[in-house]
Amino acid sequence: MASEVKAVVARGKGAPVGIETIVVPDPGPGEAVVDVQACGVCHTDLHYREGGISDDYPFLLGQEAAGRVSAVGEGVAEVAVGDYVVLNWRAVCGRCRACLAGKPWYCFATHNAAQKMTLADGTELSPALGIGAFAEKTLVHAGQCTKVDPAAPPTAAGLLGCGVMAGVGAAINTGAVQRGESVAVFGCGGVGDAAIAGARLAGATTIIGVDLDDRKLEWARKMGATHTVNASRTDPVQAVKELTGGFGVDVAIDAVGHPKVFEQAFSARDLAGRVVLVGVPTPDMRIDLPLLDVFGRGGAIKSSWYGDCLPSRDFPMLVDLYLQGRFDLDAFVSETIGLDEVEAAFEKMHRGEVLRSVVVF
């Protein structure tokens, strides 16, 4: 029987979100219903509200969540009722050319639920990243449910669903940071700080956080940055080189997604260094790089989509590291809030006052 629950819905571009009653259908073949326990307020949700991803309003927001499976549809083998899961937006198909090539983190045909959740009047909703977890229950494809150790609280585990995984993966998976290497992270918000934490996990010995805000730089130090640079007061490229013997870093990560920042990251790397873009740009943005430098400096320029993660591999591993005390997911949680405080959380995020506000149900 379908369920009626409260959820956060964005009705139009730039308009404040509101709490509305939505209808969550029983799961069909390959689908699961999850009772959401916690969901982080991610910048991606703000992109949806602002129309920066599509204009498929109304949107059911929320996509960084953990909870319990309460129902499964026909043919579901990945999870069972009662399983504790982190939701992901890359339910790999196993059959596309990327999956068959042994690179499922590049899957070109990821799955979402076939059925639609709706408003009470029957209007179909577009769930953010195919998840829509600012709701007491949500309907997803069963492959979007990744089982993890239930000892990890949902306020921490849920953060792996988007921003934290994107940042950690940018360092460990895409940037392939190695023991003893140097790393600079440009932009020390939630994703950037996760990249710093990932570089620390990988064994980097010099980790430089770059931002315009001293408060964010202090967060970066708590996450593992060995040095910080305020780019509003000094040339960040020069500062990074001075901190690395004049050479530049082995890996430079742009966690902002702005052309000027990307160009700084490109210029701050050592010969044969890697540049990783994990910040999300807007469609109008362009970069201007000297092609001779692209050729002459060697190395690689990479984009990192969802941290090039494989949820079934990476989520349980990071939860285990958290439970061992080696990866402080709790440090990302600035506050816990109710469902009716999401709009205020967007404002705090915009002002740079929080790493993560987390809705708790």
Side-chain angles (χ1 to χ4, degrees):
M1 182 176 179
S3 302
E4 290 192 353
V5 299
K6 298 296 183 184
V8 172
V9 175
R11 288 236 182 206
K13 184 175 182 178
V17 300
I19 297 180
E20 305 200 31
T21 298
I22 69 165
V23 178
V24 180
D26 287 339
E31 296 174 344
V33 170
V34 175
D35 291 347
V36 181
Q37 295 177 325
C39 184
V41 181
C42 177
H43 207 278
T44 302
D45 295 302
L46 189 56
H47 277 313
Y48 272 103
R49 194 199 72 174
E50 296 299 309
I53 294 178
S54 78
D55 58 359
D56 244 355
Y57 296 96
F59 291 115
L60 172 59
L61 300 183
Q63 35 72 44
E64 199 174 71
R68 293 273 181 185
V69 176
S70 58
V72 296
E74 180 184 346
V76 171
E78 299 95 327
V79 290
V81 172
D83 282 345
Y84 179 61
V85 297
V86 175
L87 298 181
N88 75 78
W89 45 272
R90 300 210 71 186
V92 300
C93 71
R95 296 184 298 276
C96 72
R97 60 190 185 280
C99 288
L100 293 176
K103 299 178 180 179
W105 49 90
Y106 293 140
C107 180
F108 301 118
T110 56
H111 294 304
N112 295 134
Q115 298 184 88
K116 288 288 190 179
M117 293 178 278
T118 68
L119 295 172
D121 65 4
T123 301
E124 291 188 349
L125 292 161
S126 299
L129 296 179
I131 293 175
F134 285 150
E136 297 160 320
K137 291 177 180 285
T138 192
L139 175 76
V140 294
H141 188 279
Q144 293 180 269
C145 300
T146 304
K147 291 190 287 186
V148 298
D149 191 324
T155 49
L159 299 182
L160 296 174
C162 190
V164 169
M165 187 67 253
V168 171
I172 293 178
N173 296 332
T174 316
V177 174
Q178 303 296 309
R179 292 186 301 275
E181 287 195 318
S182 56
V183 178
V185 177
F186 291 74
C188 299
V191 173
D193 279 355
I196 287 169
R200 183 183 184 182
L201 278 173
T205 49
T206 299
I207 305 172
I208 306 165
V210 182
D211 205 285
L212 302 171
D213 186 333
D214 284 333
R215 174 172 45 194
K216 291 184 178 181
L217 293 174
E218 181 58 32
W219 294 343
R221 283 192 175 274
K222 292 177 180 177
M223 293 297 178
T226 58
H227 305 80
T228 57
V229 174
N230 188 314
S232 70
R233 296 196 291 267
T234 187
D235 179 344
V237 175
Q238 180 181 345
V240 168
K241 288 187 174 181
E242 288 175 354
L243 291 167
T244 53
F247 300 114
V249 290
D250 296 302
V251 181
I253 299 173
D254 172 4
V256 177
H258 188 279
K260 183 177 180 180
V261 176
F262 185 85
E263 290 161 18
Q264 290 171 343
F266 174 84
S267 298
R269 68 188 178 121
D270 196 0
L271 289 172
R274 288 96 73 196
V275 183
V276 176
L277 173 65
V278 66
V280 182
T282 57
D284 60 305
M285 290 180 175
R286 299 289 185 272
I287 57 173
D288 182 10
L289 297 174
L291 191 57
L292 184 60
D293 283 355
V294 175
F295 171 77
R297 297 184 70 83
I301 297 175
K302 301 181 175 183
S303 61
S304 183
W305 197 51
Y306 206 5
D308 288 340
C309 80
L310 185 60
S312 61
R313 173 195 67 196
D314 294 338
F315 288 8
M317 177 266 292
L318 290 171
V319 165
D320 286 347
L321 289 174
Y322 165 76
L323 293 172
Q324 293 167 21
R326 297 169 61 193
F327 181 39
D328 190 3
L329 281 167
D330 295 324
F332 289 92
V333 182
S334 301
E335 61 175 358
T336 55
I337 61 174
L339 199 60
D340 59 349
E341 298 175 271
V342 168
E343 183 65 32
F346 282 146
E347 294 302 316
K348 292 177 184 177
M349 180 195 305
H350 184 69
R351 294 192 297 265
E353 296 175 1
V354 294
L355 273 178
R356 273 296 181 273
S357 303
V358 179
V359 176
V360 176
F361 293 87

